[in-house]
Amino acid sequence: KNGKILLTIGDWTWTQMLLAQDKNSIFGKIISIDLQSKDYEIISMGSRNAQGLYYDENRNIIIYTEHGPRGGDEININLYTDNKIIENYGWPISSYGEHYSEKLRKKVPLHKSHKNYGFIEPIKYYTPSIAISEIVRIPITFNEKFTNDFFIGALGYESQINEGDRSIHHYRFNENFDQIIFNDVIPIGERIRDMIFIKEQNSVLLVLESIPAIGI
C-alpha cells in the first residue's frame, strides 16, 4: 500500500539469532520498503525464518508462515501493519520447537509460552513441524463456502505425510482473524514449495519440488 512492499528477512545464522530481538538490525524482521525513496521501516520482529507472506489490503493485516526450529512451525497474524506498534513474535526467546544442539539450548532456552514473556502467540503452531511454506488466500469464487479461507503449503518428508507434511493445509479464520473456525488437510504427496491463486482460471498453481512439476 502507498507505494510500499513487504519483505521478510530471516535471523541469518544460529550464531546471530538474537539479532531477531534487536531493533537496530533487520534480521528476523518483516520490513516495509518505500519503492520511491528506498527507505524502510520495521513492521514486526522476532521471526526465525518466514516462508510465506500475505497482505490483506481490505483488512490491512499481515498473515505469514514461519519455519520453527525442530518442531514449532507457526502461522502468525499481524493486526498492526504500520510501524507505530512493532509486534514481537518471540524468536529466539519463545518457541514451541526445540533447538538442534545442546549449545543453543544453553544460549536461549525457547520458552513454551509467548504471551508470558510479552510476545504475540501464533494463531497456529505445529509440533511436530510440517516444514511450512507458502500461504495464499482462496476466494469465494473457488468455493461458495469460502470466506476468510487460506491454503498453506508444506514441504517435509513422504514418510511423515500423516503428520501433515507434503500437503495443503486449508484454514478458515473468523471475521476478526483471531480464531481458526475450520481446518482440513489435503494430502498431495509432494513437497509444495510455492503456490499462487490464478484469478482468471479460478485455480491454484503449485510448485512441486521433488518431481519437479507444476500442479494445478
Side-chain angles (χ1 to χ4, degrees):
K1 66 176 183 179
N2 301 326
K4 299 178 180 181
I5 60 172
L6 295 171
L7 178 70
T8 67
I9 304 173
D11 71 352
W12 191 24
T13 69
W14 65 269
T15 59
Q16 301 291 330
M17 62 175 63
L18 286 172
L19 290 177
Q21 290 296 322
D22 184 352
K23 289 184 178 180
N24 294 315
S25 168
I26 62 173
F27 291 110
K29 311 295 191 300
I30 294 177
I31 64 173
S32 173
I33 304 171
D34 188 302
L35 291 176
Q36 185 171 13
S37 69
K38 308 302 188 292
D39 295 332
Y40 72 88
E41 302 169 332
I42 294 176
I43 300 298
S44 69
M45 59 191 295
S47 292
R48 180 179 182 270
N49 187 359
Q51 289 288 301
L53 179 70
Y54 178 81
Y55 172 66
D56 190 305
E57 59 185 21
N58 294 321
R59 296 296 302 271
N60 194 32
I61 62 173
I62 297 168
I63 306 175
Y64 72 95
T65 57
E66 182 172 343
H67 276 316
R70 180 180 287 139
D73 290 349
E74 296 179 355
I75 304 173
N76 287 302
I77 297 182
N78 188 339
L79 300 175
Y80 303 97
T81 55
D82 56 39
N83 67 334
K84 295 177 183 178
I85 301 176
I86 300 176
E87 295 281 33
N88 193 329
Y89 294 88
W91 177 260
I93 309 302
S94 294
S95 172
Y96 291 103
E98 299 292 344
H99 286 306
Y100 288 99
S101 74
E102 188 65 35
K103 182 188 294 186
L104 294 179
R105 293 188 188 98
K106 293 178 181 179
K107 187 174 183 179
V108 278
L110 298 186
H111 300 298
K112 299 305 173 239
S113 171
H114 294 61
K115 183 178 180 181
N116 291 348
Y117 295 88
F119 304 127
I120 305 298
E121 289 282 353
I123 195 167
K124 172 69 178 179
Y125 65 89
Y126 299 86
T127 51
S129 63
I130 61 171
I132 201 165
S133 60
E134 183 62 282
I135 177 170
V136 293
R137 184 166 192 161
I138 311 298
I140 195 172
T141 57
F142 191 80
N143 186 304
E144 62 182 10
K145 296 181 180 179
F146 284 16
T147 52
N148 296 320
D149 288 64
F150 292 80
F151 283 177
I152 292 171
L155 299 160
Y157 300 98
E158 187 175 7
S159 62
Q160 296 174 353
I161 194 170
N162 63 319
E163 297 176 354
D165 293 21
R166 300 196 177 193
S167 301
I168 292 174
H169 292 252
H170 174 197
Y171 289 99
R172 182 176 303 141
F173 300 102
N174 66 353
E175 195 61 31
N176 295 325
F177 283 86
D178 58 8
Q179 184 179 356
I180 294 170
I181 58 176
F182 173 84
N183 70 279
D184 190 20
V185 179
I186 307 164
I188 300 298
E190 282 294 328
R191 289 169 57 87
I192 304 170
R193 174 58 66 178
D194 206 350
M195 293 186 294
I196 187 171
F197 180 76
I198 306 297
K199 180 180 178 181
E200 292 79 6
Q201 301 296 325
N202 200 32
S203 299
V204 181
L205 297 187
L206 302 88
V207 176
L208 305 177
E209 190 174 77
S210 305
I211 300 177
I214 299 293
I216 300 176

mmCIF file of all heavy atoms in Angstrom, residues 172-215:
data_model
loop_
_atom_site.group_PDB
_atom_site.id
_atom_site.type_symbol
_atom_site.label_atom_id
_atom_site.label_comp_id
_atom_site.label_asym_id
_atom_site.label_seq_id
_atom_site.Cartn_x
_atom_site.Cartn_y
_atom_site.Cartn_z
ATOM 1 N N ARG A 172 -9.771 -21.645 7.700
ATOM 2 C CA ARG A 172 -10.737 -20.544 7.624
ATOM 3 C C ARG A 172 -10.689 -19.803 8.953
ATOM 4 O O ARG A 172 -10.831 -20.397 10.020
ATOM 5 C CB ARG A 172 -12.149 -21.055 7.355
ATOM 6 C CG ARG A 172 -13.209 -19.948 7.221
ATOM 7 C CD ARG A 172 -14.563 -20.552 6.844
ATOM 8 N NE ARG A 172 -14.437 -21.318 5.608
ATOM 9 C CZ ARG A 172 -15.073 -22.483 5.397
ATOM 10 N NH1 ARG A 172 -15.860 -22.991 6.323
ATOM 11 N NH2 ARG A 172 -14.895 -23.123 4.251
ATOM 12 N N PHE A 173 -10.467 -18.481 8.881
ATOM 13 C CA PHE A 173 -10.415 -17.655 10.075
ATOM 14 C C PHE A 173 -11.755 -16.954 10.284
ATOM 15 O O PHE A 173 -12.517 -16.732 9.333
ATOM 16 C CB PHE A 173 -9.306 -16.612 9.950
ATOM 17 C CG PHE A 173 -7.942 -17.202 9.771
ATOM 18 C CD1 PHE A 173 -7.343 -17.248 8.522
ATOM 19 C CD2 PHE A 173 -7.242 -17.719 10.849
ATOM 20 C CE1 PHE A 173 -6.085 -17.799 8.349
ATOM 21 C CE2 PHE A 173 -5.988 -18.271 10.696
ATOM 22 C CZ PHE A 173 -5.407 -18.312 9.441
ATOM 23 N N ASN A 174 -12.026 -16.584 11.527
ATOM 24 C CA ASN A 174 -13.235 -15.814 11.802
ATOM 25 C C ASN A 174 -13.059 -14.385 11.299
ATOM 26 O O ASN A 174 -12.008 -14.010 10.772
ATOM 27 C CB ASN A 174 -13.586 -15.853 13.285
ATOM 28 C CG ASN A 174 -12.551 -15.146 14.154
ATOM 29 O OD1 ASN A 174 -11.494 -14.735 13.688
ATOM 30 N ND2 ASN A 174 -12.853 -15.009 15.427
ATOM 31 N N GLU A 175 -14.079 -13.577 11.464
ATOM 32 C CA GLU A 175 -14.085 -12.233 10.898
ATOM 33 C C GLU A 175 -12.997 -11.350 11.498
ATOM 34 O O GLU A 175 -12.464 -10.454 10.835
ATOM 35 C CB GLU A 175 -15.454 -11.581 11.103
ATOM 36 C CG GLU A 175 -15.701 -10.349 10.251
ATOM 37 C CD GLU A 175 -15.657 -10.643 8.745
ATOM 38 O OE1 GLU A 175 -16.015 -11.764 8.337
ATOM 39 O OE2 GLU A 175 -15.252 -9.742 7.993
ATOM 40 N N ASN A 176 -12.643 -11.603 12.767
ATOM 41 C CA ASN A 176 -11.631 -10.789 13.437
ATOM 42 C C ASN A 176 -10.212 -11.332 13.259
ATOM 43 O O ASN A 176 -9.259 -10.751 13.784
ATOM 44 C CB ASN A 176 -11.950 -10.693 14.933
ATOM 45 C CG ASN A 176 -13.236 -9.951 15.197
ATOM 46 O OD1 ASN A 176 -13.577 -9.000 14.502
ATOM 47 N ND2 ASN A 176 -13.978 -10.384 16.207
ATOM 48 N N PHE A 177 -10.076 -12.441 12.565
ATOM 49 C CA PHE A 177 -8.777 -13.076 12.348
ATOM 50 C C PHE A 177 -8.057 -13.386 13.662
ATOM 51 O O PHE A 177 -6.835 -13.287 13.750
ATOM 52 C CB PHE A 177 -7.880 -12.214 11.449
ATOM 53 C CG PHE A 177 -8.239 -12.303 9.987
ATOM 54 C CD1 PHE A 177 -9.215 -11.483 9.449
ATOM 55 C CD2 PHE A 177 -7.624 -13.236 9.169
ATOM 56 C CE1 PHE A 177 -9.558 -11.564 8.106
ATOM 57 C CE2 PHE A 177 -7.962 -13.329 7.826
ATOM 58 C CZ PHE A 177 -8.939 -12.498 7.287
ATOM 59 N N ASP A 178 -8.818 -13.781 14.669
ATOM 60 C CA ASP A 178 -8.195 -14.175 15.930
ATOM 61 C C ASP A 178 -8.569 -15.605 16.332
ATOM 62 O O ASP A 178 -8.288 -16.043 17.444
ATOM 63 C CB ASP A 178 -8.567 -13.202 17.059
ATOM 64 C CG ASP A 178 -10.073 -13.088 17.284
ATOM 65 O OD1 ASP A 178 -10.845 -13.864 16.677
ATOM 66 O OD2 ASP A 178 -10.483 -12.209 18.060
ATOM 67 N N GLN A 179 -9.207 -16.339 15.410
ATOM 68 C CA GLN A 179 -9.602 -17.716 15.698
ATOM 69 C C GLN A 179 -9.720 -18.505 14.399
ATOM 70 O O GLN A 179 -10.180 -17.980 13.380
ATOM 71 C CB GLN A 179 -10.949 -17.744 16.440
ATOM 72 C CG GLN A 179 -11.398 -19.123 16.879
ATOM 73 C CD GLN A 179 -12.731 -19.072 17.619
ATOM 74 O OE1 GLN A 179 -13.281 -17.994 17.868
ATOM 75 N NE2 GLN A 179 -13.263 -20.220 17.963
ATOM 76 N N ILE A 180 -9.290 -19.758 14.431
ATOM 77 C CA ILE A 180 -9.482 -20.674 13.308
ATOM 78 C C ILE A 180 -10.812 -21.384 13.498
ATOM 79 O O ILE A 180 -11.036 -22.023 14.525
ATOM 80 C CB ILE A 180 -8.326 -21.688 13.222
ATOM 81 C CG1 ILE A 180 -7.022 -20.972 12.889
ATOM 82 C CG2 ILE A 180 -8.620 -22.759 12.177
ATOM 83 C CD1 ILE A 180 -5.792 -21.857 13.014
ATOM 84 N N ILE A 181 -11.711 -21.271 12.514
ATOM 85 C CA ILE A 181 -13.042 -21.851 12.668
ATOM 86 C C ILE A 181 -13.236 -23.088 11.790
ATOM 87 O O ILE A 181 -14.259 -23.766 11.899
ATOM 88 C CB ILE A 181 -14.143 -20.814 12.379
ATOM 89 C CG1 ILE A 181 -14.018 -20.235 10.972
ATOM 90 C CG2 ILE A 181 -14.099 -19.702 13.416
ATOM 91 C CD1 ILE A 181 -15.148 -19.265 10.606
ATOM 92 N N PHE A 182 -12.269 -23.369 10.916
ATOM 93 C CA PHE A 182 -12.326 -24.584 10.098
ATOM 94 C C PHE A 182 -10.919 -24.914 9.637
ATOM 95 O O PHE A 182 -10.132 -24.013 9.339
ATOM 96 C CB PHE A 182 -13.224 -24.378 8.872
ATOM 97 C CG PHE A 182 -13.190 -25.537 7.889
ATOM 98 C CD1 PHE A 182 -13.989 -26.656 8.079
ATOM 99 C CD2 PHE A 182 -12.336 -25.506 6.790
ATOM 100 C CE1 PHE A 182 -13.942 -27.719 7.190
ATOM 101 C CE2 PHE A 182 -12.288 -26.565 5.894
ATOM 102 C CZ PHE A 182 -13.092 -27.678 6.093
ATOM 103 N N ASN A 183 -10.604 -26.216 9.632
ATOM 104 C CA ASN A 183 -9.331 -26.613 9.036
ATOM 105 C C ASN A 183 -9.453 -28.004 8.428
ATOM 106 O O ASN A 183 -10.260 -28.832 8.862
ATOM 107 C CB ASN A 183 -8.195 -26.580 10.056
ATOM 108 C CG ASN A 183 -8.306 -27.668 11.103
ATOM 109 O OD1 ASN A 183 -9.056 -27.537 12.065
ATOM 110 N ND2 ASN A 183 -7.557 -28.739 10.924
ATOM 111 N N ASP A 184 -8.674 -28.246 7.404
ATOM 112 C CA ASP A 184 -8.651 -29.519 6.703
ATOM 113 C C ASP A 184 -7.248 -29.711 6.138
ATOM 114 O O ASP A 184 -6.503 -28.748 5.963
ATOM 115 C CB ASP A 184 -9.688 -29.509 5.570
ATOM 116 C CG ASP A 184 -9.890 -30.882 4.945
ATOM 117 O OD1 ASP A 184 -9.553 -31.885 5.595
ATOM 118 O OD2 ASP A 184 -10.379 -30.946 3.802
ATOM 119 N N VAL A 185 -6.895 -30.957 5.882
ATOM 120 C CA VAL A 185 -5.596 -31.281 5.297
ATOM 121 C C VAL A 185 -5.824 -32.067 4.017
ATOM 122 O O VAL A 185 -6.562 -33.058 4.006
ATOM 123 C CB VAL A 185 -4.722 -32.099 6.270
ATOM 124 C CG1 VAL A 185 -3.378 -32.437 5.618
ATOM 125 C CG2 VAL A 185 -4.509 -31.342 7.571
ATOM 126 N N ILE A 186 -5.218 -31.587 2.931
ATOM 127 C CA ILE A 186 -5.357 -32.219 1.617
ATOM 128 C C ILE A 186 -4.006 -32.823 1.238
ATOM 129 O O ILE A 186 -3.092 -32.097 0.836
ATOM 130 C CB ILE A 186 -5.796 -31.184 0.561
ATOM 131 C CG1 ILE A 186 -7.045 -30.430 1.028
ATOM 132 C CG2 ILE A 186 -6.031 -31.854 -0.790
ATOM 133 C CD1 ILE A 186 -7.321 -29.164 0.252
ATOM 134 N N PRO A 187 -3.816 -34.134 1.387
ATOM 135 C CA PRO A 187 -2.524 -34.742 1.053
ATOM 136 C C PRO A 187 -2.221 -34.620 -0.441
ATOM 137 O O PRO A 187 -3.071 -34.898 -1.282
ATOM 138 C CB PRO A 187 -2.700 -36.211 1.468
ATOM 139 C CG PRO A 187 -3.873 -36.224 2.396
ATOM 140 C CD PRO A 187 -4.773 -35.125 1.921
ATOM 141 N N ILE A 188 -1.001 -34.196 -0.757
ATOM 142 C CA ILE A 188 -0.556 -34.060 -2.147
ATOM 143 C C ILE A 188 0.521 -35.093 -2.468
ATOM 144 O O ILE A 188 0.577 -35.640 -3.556
ATOM 145 C CB ILE A 188 -0.029 -32.633 -2.415
ATOM 146 C CG1 ILE A 188 -1.139 -31.596 -2.150
ATOM 147 C CG2 ILE A 188 0.481 -32.502 -3.852
ATOM 148 C CD1 ILE A 188 -2.359 -31.741 -3.039
ATOM 149 N N GLY A 189 1.389 -35.374 -1.491
ATOM 150 C CA GLY A 189 2.436 -36.368 -1.689
ATOM 151 C C GLY A 189 3.711 -35.815 -2.277
ATOM 152 O O GLY A 189 4.629 -36.571 -2.590
ATOM 153 N N GLU A 190 3.785 -34.499 -2.441
ATOM 154 C CA GLU A 190 4.971 -33.837 -2.965
ATOM 155 C C GLU A 190 5.289 -32.611 -2.110
ATOM 156 O O GLU A 190 4.398 -32.016 -1.507
ATOM 157 C CB GLU A 190 4.766 -33.411 -4.419
ATOM 158 C CG GLU A 190 4.896 -34.530 -5.427
ATOM 159 C CD GLU A 190 6.309 -35.082 -5.499
ATOM 160 O OE1 GLU A 190 7.268 -34.300 -5.288
ATOM 161 O OE2 GLU A 190 6.455 -36.288 -5.754
ATOM 162 N N ARG A 191 6.566 -32.243 -2.095
ATOM 163 C CA ARG A 191 6.988 -31.042 -1.381
ATOM 164 C C ARG A 191 6.448 -29.808 -2.100
ATOM 165 O O ARG A 191 6.804 -29.557 -3.254
ATOM 166 C CB ARG A 191 8.516 -30.983 -1.307
ATOM 167 C CG ARG A 191 9.117 -32.010 -0.375
ATOM 168 C CD ARG A 191 10.629 -32.103 -0.537
ATOM 169 N NE ARG A 191 11.300 -30.828 -0.313
ATOM 170 C CZ ARG A 191 11.698 -30.372 0.879
ATOM 171 N NH1 ARG A 191 11.475 -31.104 1.960
ATOM 172 N NH2 ARG A 191 12.308 -29.206 0.988
ATOM 173 N N ILE A 192 5.597 -29.045 -1.420
ATOM 174 C CA ILE A 192 4.966 -27.866 -2.016
ATOM 175 C C ILE A 192 5.811 -26.650 -1.651
ATOM 176 O O ILE A 192 5.763 -26.138 -0.542
ATOM 177 C CB ILE A 192 3.520 -27.697 -1.522
ATOM 178 C CG1 ILE A 192 2.719 -28.965 -1.797
ATOM 179 C CG2 ILE A 192 2.874 -26.484 -2.185
ATOM 180 C CD1 ILE A 192 1.366 -28.981 -1.127
ATOM 181 N N ARG A 193 6.584 -26.186 -2.622
ATOM 182 C CA ARG A 193 7.484 -25.063 -2.365
ATOM 183 C C ARG A 193 6.771 -23.723 -2.479
ATOM 184 O O ARG A 193 7.036 -22.789 -1.721
ATOM 185 C CB ARG A 193 8.662 -25.109 -3.356
ATOM 186 C CG ARG A 193 9.591 -23.923 -3.298
ATOM 187 C CD ARG A 193 10.209 -23.708 -1.953
ATOM 188 N NE ARG A 193 11.113 -24.789 -1.556
ATOM 189 C CZ ARG A 193 11.795 -24.796 -0.418
ATOM 190 N NH1 ARG A 193 11.656 -23.802 0.447
ATOM 191 N NH2 ARG A 193 12.586 -25.805 -0.125
ATOM 192 N N ASP A 194 5.839 -23.611 -3.434
ATOM 193 C CA ASP A 194 5.193 -22.318 -3.663
ATOM 194 C C ASP A 194 3.793 -22.552 -4.211
ATOM 195 O O ASP A 194 3.496 -23.607 -4.784
ATOM 196 C CB ASP A 194 6.009 -21.486 -4.653
ATOM 197 C CG ASP A 194 5.801 -19.988 -4.466
ATOM 198 O OD1 ASP A 194 4.885 -19.613 -3.697
ATOM 199 O OD2 ASP A 194 6.524 -19.208 -5.095
ATOM 200 N N MET A 195 2.918 -21.557 -4.033
ATOM 201 C CA MET A 195 1.551 -21.602 -4.551
ATOM 202 C C MET A 195 1.136 -20.201 -4.973
ATOM 203 O O MET A 195 1.628 -19.208 -4.437
ATOM 204 C CB MET A 195 0.557 -22.105 -3.490
ATOM 205 C CG MET A 195 0.715 -23.545 -3.078
ATOM 206 S SD MET A 195 -0.631 -24.064 -1.959
ATOM 207 C CE MET A 195 -0.296 -23.037 -0.519
ATOM 208 N N ILE A 196 0.206 -20.148 -5.931
ATOM 209 C CA ILE A 196 -0.381 -18.870 -6.318
ATOM 210 C C ILE A 196 -1.798 -19.137 -6.818
ATOM 211 O O ILE A 196 -2.057 -20.161 -7.455
ATOM 212 C CB ILE A 196 0.468 -18.148 -7.395
ATOM 213 C CG1 ILE A 196 -0.065 -16.738 -7.654
ATOM 214 C CG2 ILE A 196 0.536 -18.968 -8.683
ATOM 215 C CD1 ILE A 196 0.843 -15.903 -8.533
ATOM 216 N N PHE A 197 -2.709 -18.229 -6.491
ATOM 217 C CA PHE A 197 -4.072 -18.338 -7.000
ATOM 218 C C PHE A 197 -4.183 -17.536 -8.288
ATOM 219 O O PHE A 197 -3.831 -16.354 -8.329
ATOM 220 C CB PHE A 197 -5.096 -17.830 -5.987
ATOM 221 C CG PHE A 197 -6.517 -17.926 -6.474
ATOM 222 C CD1 PHE A 197 -7.176 -19.145 -6.494
ATOM 223 C CD2 PHE A 197 -7.184 -16.799 -6.936
ATOM 224 C CE1 PHE A 197 -8.473 -19.247 -6.951
ATOM 225 C CE2 PHE A 197 -8.488 -16.892 -7.403
ATOM 226 C CZ PHE A 197 -9.133 -18.119 -7.406
ATOM 227 N N ILE A 198 -4.658 -18.192 -9.355
ATOM 228 C CA ILE A 198 -4.832 -17.547 -10.655
ATOM 229 C C ILE A 198 -6.299 -17.173 -10.812
ATOM 230 O O ILE A 198 -7.155 -18.032 -11.033
ATOM 231 C CB ILE A 198 -4.389 -18.471 -11.811
ATOM 232 C CG1 ILE A 198 -2.960 -18.960 -11.591
ATOM 233 C CG2 ILE A 198 -4.513 -17.738 -13.145
ATOM 234 C CD1 ILE A 198 -1.928 -17.870 -11.571
ATOM 235 N N LYS A 199 -6.589 -15.889 -10.696
ATOM 236 C CA LYS A 199 -7.971 -15.408 -10.709
ATOM 237 C C LYS A 199 -8.682 -15.750 -12.013
ATOM 238 O O LYS A 199 -9.835 -16.191 -12.003
ATOM 239 C CB LYS A 199 -7.980 -13.893 -10.480
ATOM 240 C CG LYS A 199 -9.366 -13.270 -10.475
ATOM 241 C CD LYS A 199 -9.267 -11.774 -10.232
ATOM 242 C CE LYS A 199 -10.648 -11.131 -10.265
ATOM 243 N NZ LYS A 199 -10.565 -9.653 -10.052
ATOM 244 N N GLU A 200 -7.997 -15.566 -13.144
ATOM 245 C CA GLU A 200 -8.630 -15.766 -14.441
ATOM 246 C C GLU A 200 -9.003 -17.228 -14.678
ATOM 247 O O GLU A 200 -9.957 -17.524 -15.409
ATOM 248 C CB GLU A 200 -7.684 -15.296 -15.556
ATOM 249 C CG GLU A 200 -7.446 -13.795 -15.587
ATOM 250 C CD GLU A 200 -6.448 -13.332 -14.537
ATOM 251 O OE1 GLU A 200 -5.846 -14.196 -13.849
ATOM 252 O OE2 GLU A 200 -6.276 -12.108 -14.394
ATOM 253 N N GLN A 201 -8.275 -18.149 -14.079
ATOM 254 C CA GLN A 201 -8.536 -19.579 -14.245
ATOM 255 C C GLN A 201 -9.263 -20.176 -13.046
ATOM 256 O O GLN A 201 -9.659 -21.348 -13.082
ATOM 257 C CB GLN A 201 -7.216 -20.326 -14.456
ATOM 258 C CG GLN A 201 -6.426 -19.867 -15.669
ATOM 259 C CD GLN A 201 -7.165 -20.127 -16.961
ATOM 260 O OE1 GLN A 201 -7.868 -21.119 -17.090
ATOM 261 N NE2 GLN A 201 -7.018 -19.228 -17.928
ATOM 262 N N ASN A 202 -9.430 -19.371 -11.992
ATOM 263 C CA ASN A 202 -10.044 -19.848 -10.748
ATOM 264 C C ASN A 202 -9.363 -21.133 -10.275
ATOM 265 O O ASN A 202 -10.007 -22.117 -9.903
ATOM 266 C CB ASN A 202 -11.541 -20.088 -10.938
ATOM 267 C CG ASN A 202 -12.301 -20.098 -9.619
ATOM 268 O OD1 ASN A 202 -11.936 -19.401 -8.673
ATOM 269 N ND2 ASN A 202 -13.351 -20.895 -9.545
ATOM 270 N N SER A 203 -8.027 -21.103 -10.298
ATOM 271 C CA SER A 203 -7.248 -22.293 -9.978
ATOM 272 C C SER A 203 -6.046 -21.917 -9.111
ATOM 273 O O SER A 203 -5.601 -20.770 -9.086
ATOM 274 C CB SER A 203 -6.744 -22.973 -11.259
ATOM 275 O OG SER A 203 -7.816 -23.392 -12.067
ATOM 276 N N VAL A 204 -5.539 -22.927 -8.426
ATOM 277 C CA VAL A 204 -4.330 -22.772 -7.631
ATOM 278 C C VAL A 204 -3.200 -23.517 -8.337
ATOM 279 O O VAL A 204 -3.339 -24.693 -8.667
ATOM 280 C CB VAL A 204 -4.517 -23.335 -6.208
ATOM 281 C CG1 VAL A 204 -3.245 -23.141 -5.388
ATOM 282 C CG2 VAL A 204 -5.703 -22.677 -5.517
ATOM 283 N N LEU A 205 -2.082 -22.811 -8.593
ATOM 284 C CA LEU A 205 -0.897 -23.447 -9.149
ATOM 285 C C LEU A 205 0.084 -23.730 -8.023
ATOM 286 O O LEU A 205 0.299 -22.889 -7.144
ATOM 287 C CB LEU A 205 -0.230 -22.559 -10.193
ATOM 288 C CG LEU A 205 -1.029 -22.226 -11.458
ATOM 289 C CD1 LEU A 205 -0.138 -21.483 -12.441
ATOM 290 C CD2 LEU A 205 -1.602 -23.478 -12.092
ATOM 291 N N LEU A 206 0.702 -24.924 -8.062
ATOM 292 C CA LEU A 206 1.639 -25.349 -7.042
ATOM 293 C C LEU A 206 2.986 -25.689 -7.672
ATOM 294 O O LEU A 206 3.022 -26.354 -8.720
ATOM 295 C CB LEU A 206 1.128 -26.588 -6.296
ATOM 296 C CG LEU A 206 -0.223 -26.516 -5.594
ATOM 297 C CD1 LEU A 206 -1.346 -26.896 -6.555
ATOM 298 C CD2 LEU A 206 -0.253 -27.441 -4.397
ATOM 299 N N VAL A 207 4.052 -25.238 -7.065
ATOM 300 C CA VAL A 207 5.382 -25.676 -7.456
ATOM 301 C C VAL A 207 5.712 -26.898 -6.598
ATOM 302 O O VAL A 207 5.886 -26.790 -5.387
ATOM 303 C CB VAL A 207 6.432 -24.573 -7.233
ATOM 304 C CG1 VAL A 207 7.829 -25.093 -7.552
ATOM 305 C CG2 VAL A 207 6.117 -23.362 -8.102
ATOM 306 N N LEU A 208 5.777 -28.072 -7.250
ATOM 307 C CA LEU A 208 6.075 -29.329 -6.565
ATOM 308 C C LEU A 208 7.545 -29.627 -6.753
ATOM 309 O O LEU A 208 8.010 -29.842 -7.875
ATOM 310 C CB LEU A 208 5.191 -30.439 -7.118
ATOM 311 C CG LEU A 208 3.673 -30.149 -7.061
ATOM 312 C CD1 LEU A 208 2.887 -31.280 -7.705
ATOM 313 C CD2 LEU A 208 3.226 -29.912 -5.630
ATOM 314 N N GLU A 209 8.260 -29.667 -5.663
ATOM 315 C CA GLU A 209 9.715 -29.582 -5.698
ATOM 316 C C GLU A 209 10.402 -30.906 -6.037
ATOM 317 O O GLU A 209 11.449 -30.925 -6.690
ATOM 318 C CB GLU A 209 10.208 -29.084 -4.332
ATOM 319 C CG GLU A 209 11.653 -28.723 -4.274
ATOM 320 C CD GLU A 209 11.988 -28.106 -2.928
ATOM 321 O OE1 GLU A 209 12.109 -28.846 -1.941
ATOM 322 O OE2 GLU A 209 12.108 -26.879 -2.875
ATOM 323 N N SER A 210 9.853 -32.019 -5.608
ATOM 324 C CA SER A 210 10.577 -33.297 -5.699
ATOM 325 C C SER A 210 10.599 -33.862 -7.115
ATOM 326 O O SER A 210 11.584 -34.449 -7.548
ATOM 327 C CB SER A 210 9.967 -34.320 -4.749
ATOM 328 O OG SER A 210 9.927 -33.811 -3.430
ATOM 329 N N ILE A 211 9.488 -33.706 -7.884
ATOM 330 C CA ILE A 211 9.390 -34.376 -9.187
ATOM 331 C C ILE A 211 10.439 -33.878 -10.171
ATOM 332 O O ILE A 211 11.140 -34.721 -10.734
ATOM 333 C CB ILE A 211 7.959 -34.242 -9.744
ATOM 334 C CG1 ILE A 211 6.955 -34.884 -8.773
ATOM 335 C CG2 ILE A 211 7.845 -34.863 -11.100
ATOM 336 C CD1 ILE A 211 5.515 -34.734 -9.199
ATOM 337 N N PRO A 212 10.616 -32.576 -10.466
ATOM 338 C CA PRO A 212 9.782 -31.420 -10.122
ATOM 339 C C PRO A 212 8.635 -31.250 -11.115
ATOM 340 O O PRO A 212 8.673 -31.824 -12.199
ATOM 341 C CB PRO A 212 10.756 -30.259 -10.238
ATOM 342 C CG PRO A 212 11.676 -30.670 -11.338
ATOM 343 C CD PRO A 212 11.822 -32.181 -11.238
ATOM 344 N N ALA A 213 7.609 -30.460 -10.718
ATOM 345 C CA ALA A 213 6.447 -30.291 -11.573
ATOM 346 C C ALA A 213 5.638 -29.075 -11.139
ATOM 347 O O ALA A 213 5.844 -28.533 -10.046
ATOM 348 C CB ALA A 213 5.566 -31.540 -11.526
ATOM 349 N N ILE A 214 4.741 -28.666 -12.024
ATOM 350 C CA ILE A 214 3.713 -27.682 -11.680
ATOM 351 C C ILE A 214 2.419 -28.446 -11.433
ATOM 352 O O ILE A 214 2.005 -29.265 -12.260
ATOM 353 C CB ILE A 214 3.500 -26.666 -12.816
ATOM 354 C CG1 ILE A 214 4.794 -25.890 -13.103
ATOM 355 C CG2 ILE A 214 2.360 -25.706 -12.477
ATOM 356 C CD1 ILE A 214 5.228 -24.979 -11.978
ATOM 357 N N GLY A 215 1.780 -28.210 -10.307
ATOM 358 C CA GLY A 215 0.500 -28.850 -10.007
ATOM 359 C C GLY A 215 -0.636 -27.857 -10.126
ATOM 360 O O GLY A 215 -0.453 -26.652 -9.906
#
